[in-house]
């Protein structure tokens, strides 16, 4: 909206020059042009003047109209809603339709830095983590005191550490590779390992999350342990693991899976039955009579 005082028409003009609204003559009076139509000052203020948010009175043509987000104030009314200091040509903040100077806004609404306990001023860069806030320059590693910024960090005991400092001070060292364990480690024989370092001694496949056993303090997956150390069934020649409650039959330094302990000739199960041996074979009583 443009408000300007137009030049007075020449006294020699014979045509009328009236207010567009009240039709009163504007000769010798101040007037305002709006969309190329002239208005006397009273009519213009009644029709188009903004209402001051603070005092509720019209903002006349002879007053400075200060506006913010379609709201208007007299220059004298444009002040902080709490301390009443003028906000003219000063930075301010808005909260719930109230205008506040930066000091009042900071006191009421700004967060406090977790490190220096000072107010974090509006517009200032800050770091936030689990409901706490820091000035960007205050968010530093507790050990080396270097700003963490956007780098990865690890919290411990209400203190924050950059990853290198945390590893030096707190991380366990993997028994296998001697490097720090920051996440996902496993414990075997009260010693720490990376999950990817805890592997079968024979086949090198990861043991984390699967059953395994050990021999002479070395860890093996079940397949490798059975193939390397388990006794073999005299019937099928496959390993007898003895793990998980596996049942087997032992006789004269030979072993059989329970389901393999059968008559060599007729394949009758000999578990719980009498049997005879003939040149290394095990036979049921009936088959032994035929020999």
């Amino acid at each position: 909206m443009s408000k300007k005082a137009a030049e007075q028409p020449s006294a020699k003009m014979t045509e009328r020059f009236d207010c567009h609204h009240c039709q009163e003559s504007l000769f010798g009076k101040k007037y305002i042009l709006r969309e190329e139509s002239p208005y006397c000052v009273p009519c213009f203020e009644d029709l188009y003047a903004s209402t001051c948010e603070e005092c509720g009175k019209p903002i006349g043509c002879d007053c400075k109209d200060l506006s913010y987000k379609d709201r208007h104030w007299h220059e004298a009314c444009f002040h902080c809603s709490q301390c009443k200091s003028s906000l003219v040509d000063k930075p301010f903040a808005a909260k719930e339709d109230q205008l506040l100077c930066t000091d009042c806004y900071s006191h009421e609404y700004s967060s406090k830095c977790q490190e220096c306990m000072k107010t974090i001023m509006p517009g200032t860069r800050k770091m936030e983590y689990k409901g706490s806030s820091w000035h960007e320059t205050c968010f530093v590693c507790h050990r080396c005191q270097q700003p963490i910024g956007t780098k990865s960090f690890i919290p411990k005991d209400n203190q924050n550490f950059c990853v290198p400092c945390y590893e030096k001070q707190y991380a366990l060292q993997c028994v296998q590779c001697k490097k720090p364990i920051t996440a996902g480690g496993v414990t075997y024989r009260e010693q720490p390992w990376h999950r990817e370092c805890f592997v079968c001694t024979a086949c090198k496949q990861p043991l984390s999350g699967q059953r395994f056993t050990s021999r002479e303090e070395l860890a093996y997956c079940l397949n490798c342990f059975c193939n390397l150390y388990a006794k073999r069934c005299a019937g099928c020649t496959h390993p007898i693991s003895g793990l998980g409650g596996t049942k087997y039959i032992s006789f004269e330094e030979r072993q059989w899976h329970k389901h393999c302990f059968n008559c060599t000739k007729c394949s009758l199960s000999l578990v719980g039955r009498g049997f005879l041996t003939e040149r290394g074979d095990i036979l049921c009583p009936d088959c032994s009579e035929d020999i």
Side-chain angles (χ1 to χ4, degrees), residues 76-88:
C77 295
F78 193 63
H79 53 68
C80 173
S81 61
Q82 289 197 10
C83 70
K84 306 304 180 185
S85 62
S86 175
L87 298 177
V88 178

Side-chain angles (χ1 to χ4, degrees), residues 26-218:
L26 295 176
F27 283 114
K29 298 179 181 179
K30 286 184 177 181
Y31 66 93
I32 308 296
L33 281 177
R34 177 183 170 87
E35 297 177 356
E36 299 185 359
S37 297
Y39 293 83
C40 64
V41 172
C43 285
F44 182 86
E45 291 182 347
D46 287 342
L47 293 171
Y48 303 113
S50 301
T51 301
C52 178
E53 289 282 333
E54 179 67 16
C55 67
K57 297 179 181 179
I59 302 174
C61 297
D62 57 345
C63 298
K64 183 180 287 187
D65 183 344
L66 301 179
S67 64
Y68 172 70
K69 290 188 176 180
D70 297 327
R71 300 165 65 198
H72 299 264
W73 290 264
H74 292 104
E75 184 175 15
C77 295
F78 193 63
H79 53 68
C80 173
S81 61
Q82 289 197 10
C83 70
K84 306 304 180 185
S85 62
S86 175
L87 298 177
V88 178
D89 296 328
K90 294 181 180 179
F92 63 90
K95 184 73 173 180
E96 298 175 355
D97 293 333
Q98 291 186 331
L99 300 183
L100 300 167
C101 65
T102 53
D103 288 341
C104 289
Y105 182 88
S106 299
H107 180 73
E108 290 291 329
Y109 301 108
S110 293
S111 53
K112 302 289 185 181
C113 175
Q114 186 75 10
E115 180 66 22
C116 68
M117 302 311 296
K118 294 181 180 179
T119 299
I120 301 176
M121 300 296 290
T124 303
R125 293 189 64 180
K126 65 178 181 179
M127 309 298 293
E128 294 182 319
Y129 177 70
K130 288 189 175 181
S132 297
S133 301
W134 291 261
H135 292 107
E136 185 178 31
T137 54
C138 291
F139 192 61
V140 299
C141 170
H142 181 74
R143 188 171 187 267
C144 68
Q145 294 299 303
Q146 294 300 307
I148 293 175
T150 58
K151 295 183 293 186
S152 298
F153 68 95
I154 301 173
K156 182 176 177 61
D157 300 332
N158 296 321
Q159 296 170 341
N160 300 313
F161 296 83
C162 64
V163 174
C165 285
Y166 180 86
E167 292 178 348
K168 290 177 183 177
Q169 187 160 337
Y170 294 109
L172 297 173
Q173 301 295 313
C174 175
V175 172
Q176 179 66 23
C177 69
K178 310 303 180 184
K179 294 180 180 179
I181 301 173
T182 56
V186 296
T187 301
Y188 174 64
R189 293 187 179 275
E190 300 182 356
Q191 292 181 318
W193 305 66
H194 288 114
R195 293 174 67 90
E196 60 272 19
C197 291
F198 187 57
V199 298
C200 171
T201 303
C203 69
K204 307 304 180 184
Q205 292 299 307
L207 296 178
S208 179
Q210 66 171 297
R211 294 178 64 195
F212 65 92
T213 186
S214 63
R215 181 183 175 91
E216 297 177 356
E217 298 188 359
L218 299 177

